[in-house]
Each structure stands twice: as C-alpha cells, then as structure tokens.
Amino acid sequence: MSDAIVLTVSSNGAYSFTKTNREAVTLLAGLGVEGDVHAGETVKHRSRVAQDPTRPNLRQVHLIHAELFEEVAGAGFEVAPGDLGENITTRGIDLLSLPTGARLHLGEEAVVEVTGLRNPCVQIDRFRGGLLKQVLGRDENGEVVRKAGIMSVVLTGGEVRPGDPIRVELPEGPHRPLERV
C-alpha cells in the first residue's frame, strides 16, 4: 500500500450529487472538507438530517478508489473523479478492505479515520441509469457488497492535494469489517 496516492480532491458548497475537482481541499478536524456542504459535527446528508439532525456526522469525508471507475467502464459507464460525490479519489489502495477505525494519513498533515461504507442510493441511477447495479451487488454468499467508497471523519486537519501519498495505519486488536454508515 506504499504506492497509494490521492488522485483528485473535490468539494461542493451546495447540495448536488457531483462535486467539483479542486487544486486542493482543506480538511478541518471534527468537521470535514472546508466549504463542503457535508462538513459539520452533526449529520448533513438530507435523509439523515430528516431522521435525527443531532446524530454525529460519520460521513465527513467520502473516499472512492479510481479503480472502481475502470471497473464500471468495462460495463460501459463513464465515471470521472467527483462524479459520485466523493471528496477524495484514491489510487493504489483497496479502500473497501480496510477495517473500521483504520486511519489514513493524507499528505503531510491530514488524518482521517474510516467509519464505514457509503451506502449507494438511487441518486447513482439518476446520474447514470443502470450504474447502481454496478456499485451495489451480492457476493457468492448472497451478502450485499457496496463498492461506492468509504466514509471517514477528520482527526487531524490539513491541506490535501492530488499526488499526495496515503499511508494506512491499522487499528489495534481484532479488526471489524466495514458496515454502511
């Protein structure tokens, strides 16, 4: 995993499915991406706000692996960084296999802690009809497989830019697999 890098960084100050690619983003400890609509200590995703606006925001920073875009391209879907609403697009790291609590050191200062899997929703099909089926499936045991990236919270703030290295720090003790958040 030593060759893992940040491919792109994206944010959007308004509710929109996609996010605009940037030269850099600033991660703010306990909040998320500066200026992004999903930044905050409490939930910001519209459906979660409707359920309970006081719950902690476990979805401050959304990361997706660029390898997913190559996978769905094989099925005829063109998807670019930022298109699925992620803040950070990575290359060279198997995000989906990380355990809950893994820490990702992004660039020189920023550290995020992985909280769980993004739960793909119907908005993905609104973006590209049929794409949801590509990022949400079942394994050989019939278990749901979510491929639309992971969610995290910011432990240590800092600037993150394309090309920054990513270093993984695994938690101690038995590892818990990621669940949807």
Side-chain angles (χ1 to χ4, degrees):
M1 290 190 208
S2 61
D3 293 331
I5 63 161
V6 172
L7 188 64
T8 58
V9 294
S10 311
S11 66
N12 194 332
Y15 279 106
S16 173
F17 184 67
T18 61
K19 296 190 185 285
T20 303
N21 294 332
R22 311 282 182 195
E23 289 184 20
V25 293
T26 300
L27 301 187
L28 303 173
L31 296 174
V33 178
E34 182 177 44
D36 192 80
V37 71
H38 291 106
E41 291 179 8
T42 56
V43 291
K44 300 301 174 201
H45 194 274
R46 287 178 174 166
S47 67
R48 295 179 195 302
V49 169
Q51 291 173 359
D52 181 357
T54 65
R55 293 190 64 188
N57 185 4
L58 302 178
R59 301 164 55 98
Q60 294 174 359
V61 181
H62 176 199
L63 299 95
I64 283 186
H65 49 297
E67 292 83 357
L68 176 65
F69 303 150
E70 294 155 10
E71 179 183 327
V72 300
F77 293 93
E78 183 179 329
V79 180
D83 280 354
L84 297 181
E86 76 276 12
N87 300 110
I88 298 175
T89 308
T90 66
R91 178 167 300 286
I93 180 172
D94 184 358
L95 296 175
L96 304 178
S97 72
L98 293 172
T100 302
R103 293 180 177 187
L104 302 178
H105 296 256
L106 307 167
E108 294 182 22
E109 298 176 10
V111 180
V112 298
E113 183 172 289
V114 177
T115 55
L117 295 167
R118 176 192 185 181
N119 192 31
C121 65
V122 70
Q123 287 185 335
I124 293 175
D125 264 351
R126 290 184 192 135
F127 172 70
R128 297 266 193 286
L131 183 58
L132 181 60
K133 189 179 271 188
Q134 300 297 315
V135 299
L136 184 64
R138 296 204 176 265
D139 66 14
E140 59 279 353
N141 299 322
E143 300 292 323
V144 174
V145 176
R146 294 169 177 87
K147 301 183 201 175
I150 62 171
M151 307 308 274
S152 64
V153 294
V154 182
L155 297 180
T156 305
E159 189 174 78
V160 181
R161 298 180 159 279
D164 278 351
I166 301 171
R167 183 174 61 81
V168 177
E169 179 185 347
L170 296 175
E172 291 185 22
H175 292 170
R176 291 181 303 133
L178 296 177
E179 296 178 3
R180 67 185 173 101
V181 292

